[in-house]
Amino acid sequence: MTFVVAGKTLLGLNCMQPFGWGTVSGNMYAANPYQNGGVDSVVMSNARLAAIKAAGFDLVRLAVDPGTLLSAPSATVLNNLAGQIAAGVQRRITAGLKVLVDVHFMQGPPLAGWSCNDVIDGISGPKFKQMMAAVTALAKALSAFDPASVALELFNEPPPLAAFNGKTAWASQLMFYWHAIRGVLPNHFLVLAGTNYNALDNFQSGAAGGDGLTALPIYGYDANTGYSWHAYEPIAVAFQGEAGEYQDCHRLTFPPQNHPGGLAQATSDLNAAIDADATLSAAQKTQRKSDFAQPNWSFSYPPYFKTPQDANWLANRYAVATAWADKNKLARSQLGITELGIRGDLGANLGADPASMTAFLAAHKAAATAAGFGMLVIHELQNGDGFGVMNGNSFVPAVIQGLKLSTIQPTVTGVQTVITYSDGSSKTVVDV
């Protein structure tokens, strides 16, 4: 293996800015789409990159909105966009960080038509073919980098099994895809994912087998291939406060043994929040209360408290991955969690409290390190979705404590960065 290091769990930071959410203009991506939060030299200034490195992170996961590449009107534009991404990669390497470039297909992309569900239309499908062409161009741009510094994650979150009804199975599509990119990047670490949005197994979906990483056949892949999943568990704790199913979950404490009043009080608080939620109809309120009261659902409250789903439970969940790896004769370092996070203190007693954030991150880091996983990537840099771990160039205190990060604040001045745009023009900026 080239990117991960045997006997070490690389600590990473997921960064959606600026490449992971392309700027849309009308019904197409803007000519210069990579400005989520500002251009790269601004949102990911040399000072911020230095702070990430000084804190103790080994890598950044550079999320790329693949729709920007798949919808490129010409090969020239496609290659220019790939070149901008490569320039961003170089800046991060210069800062002393490894880079996991993430082809970040999602459920709801900035521009309709390029979701994780759209591009799985089969090996001969038009959008699958566009994906192959676009990622091949990106891979060519990355081929100049040292494999010890750069890896490529092929698909952020493959959809659930139901999305493949009537289509070629994900395992077959992924194998074809992997072979094509391996031909361009023969020595780089390529990271794969299973269905149900990069789940570990069928615990979250409740499906009768076949879901997640542990259902992925691995014969045919080489030893320089990684296998990832997203470890947002326990689920209600990780996603508390997020719009949708978990929007009325707040101040759910981790570990559950620390929750004031236990299951009874947590349920009472949840039901009161649901009753006061003006976005829900009466029927929806009844249904949601029933959902969270289920005795054995992955996100319901009773199993969270009664199991309990604490640090020991997390270690057992990670043991599912190590057992799968051992069965398939994989090195533990080939396993990696490419997203893990908790929605933190959102103010006004919303989201997880700082003590729970610290305990949650500490438990995951301890379990991943003990299991010997190759990487553990924290979601995420920015705070657009409540998971943010940085304010400017400083980390949230609960994150520092949970991950045992350094509090060193480096100073970087006078570093020039050249930005090249898709039309071929460029400008030089200086971080101060």
Side-chain angles (χ1 to χ4, degrees):
M1 288 174 285
T2 53
F3 185 75
V4 294
V5 180
K8 177 179 174 62
T9 300
L10 301 175
L11 183 62
L13 180 60
N14 192 35
C15 301
M16 293 295 294
Q17 293 179 326
F19 299 101
W21 190 265
T23 302
V24 174
S25 178
N27 63 347
M28 63 180 65
Y29 282 102
N32 299 312
Y34 302 131
Q35 300 191 45
N36 177 22
V39 296
D40 191 44
S41 62
V42 174
V43 70
M44 293 297 284
S45 66
N46 288 298
R48 174 171 268 186
L49 290 172
I52 293 170
K53 174 64 177 178
F57 284 94
D58 303 292
L59 68 91
V60 289
R61 183 178 184 240
L62 190 153
V64 174
D65 178 355
T68 60
L69 304 174
L70 274 71
S71 63
S74 68
T76 299
V77 172
L78 173 59
N79 291 331
N80 279 334
L81 292 173
Q84 289 185 52
I85 295 165
V89 170
Q90 181 60 65
R91 293 189 61 244
R92 289 150 179 77
I93 293 174
T94 300
L97 294 159
K98 291 174 178 276
V99 184
L100 175 62
V101 179
D102 158 38
V103 183
H104 199 87
F105 285 105
M106 59 190 90
Q107 299 177 56
L111 188 66
W114 305 113
S115 74
C116 58
N117 290 69
D118 292 316
V119 296
I120 56 163
D121 52 354
I123 293 169
S124 60
K127 292 204 170 180
F128 184 88
K129 288 181 177 179
Q130 280 182 270
M131 177 180 73
M132 295 282 288
V135 181
T136 295
L138 175 59
K140 288 178 179 177
L142 300 178
S143 63
F145 293 110
D146 184 347
S149 297
V150 177
L152 181 61
E153 185 176 354
L154 299 186
F155 202 111
N156 171 54
E157 291 188 342
L161 285 175
F164 294 91
N165 289 341
K167 301 175 184 176
T168 306
W170 173 239
S172 298
Q173 294 194 46
L174 182 60
M175 175 61 77
F176 189 88
Y177 182 18
W178 177 89
H179 270 293
I181 303 305
R182 177 56 83 213
V184 180
L185 295 174
N187 300 312
H188 287 72
F189 196 59
L190 300 182
V191 180
L192 311 182
T195 55
N196 200 40
Y197 309 120
N198 209 349
L200 172 60
D201 53 17
N202 63 347
F203 172 72
Q204 294 184 28
S205 69
D211 244 336
L213 176 65
T214 57
L216 189 67
I218 66 153
Y219 50 84
Y221 296 115
D222 59 30
N224 203 23
T225 299
Y227 302 89
S228 70
W229 72 98
H230 293 171
Y232 294 104
E233 293 179 353
I235 307 166
V237 171
F239 286 121
Q240 59 183 299
E242 184 173 73
E245 191 75 30
Y246 308 99
Q247 65 192 29
D248 295 311
C249 300
H250 291 292
R251 286 304 196 258
L252 187 60
T253 302
F254 183 87
Q257 294 94 323
N258 289 356
H259 195 93
L263 173 60
Q265 188 61 52
T267 301
S268 177
D269 292 342
L270 173 66
N271 289 345
I274 291 173
D275 284 334
D277 191 336
T279 69
L280 301 177
S281 67
Q284 288 174 320
K285 292 177 180 180
T286 299
Q287 184 62 57
R288 190 150 297 177
K289 290 178 184 179
S290 174
D291 288 348
F292 280 94
Q294 294 300 313
N296 55 8
W297 286 12
S298 62
F299 65 84
S300 55
Y301 276 18
Y304 176 63
F305 285 92
K306 293 179 179 180
T307 304
Q309 294 178 359
D310 55 12
N312 289 330
W313 179 84
L314 281 176
N316 289 332
R317 289 291 292 145
Y318 282 16
V320 172
T322 55
W324 176 79
D326 293 348
K327 177 182 177 181
N328 288 286
K329 296 181 172 56
L330 298 174
R332 296 286 180 86
S333 54
Q334 287 179 262
L335 301 178
I337 296 165
T338 51
E339 280 188 27
L340 157 70
I342 180 170
R343 283 175 59 87
D345 195 336
L346 306 176
N349 290 324
L350 303 177
D353 65 89
S356 291
M357 289 180 64
T358 294
F360 181 93
L361 293 172
H364 276 278
K365 184 179 180 183
T369 302
F373 297 158
M375 67 180 83
L376 176 71
V377 180
I378 306 304
H379 184 74
E380 67 170 323
L381 164 74
Q382 69 195 91
N383 200 34
D385 60 0
F387 285 94
V389 301
M390 290 191 81
N391 293 316
N393 294 337
S394 299
F395 284 89
V396 173
V399 175
I400 290 175
Q401 296 165 18
L403 298 176
K404 294 182 172 58
L405 301 178
S406 168
T407 57
I408 295 173
Q409 290 293 314
T411 300
V412 179
T413 59
V415 179
Q416 290 188 343
T417 301
V418 178
I419 306 170
T420 302
Y421 295 107
S422 56
D423 60 3
S425 63
S426 63
K427 70 176 182 180
T428 300
V429 298
V430 178
D431 286 349
V432 294

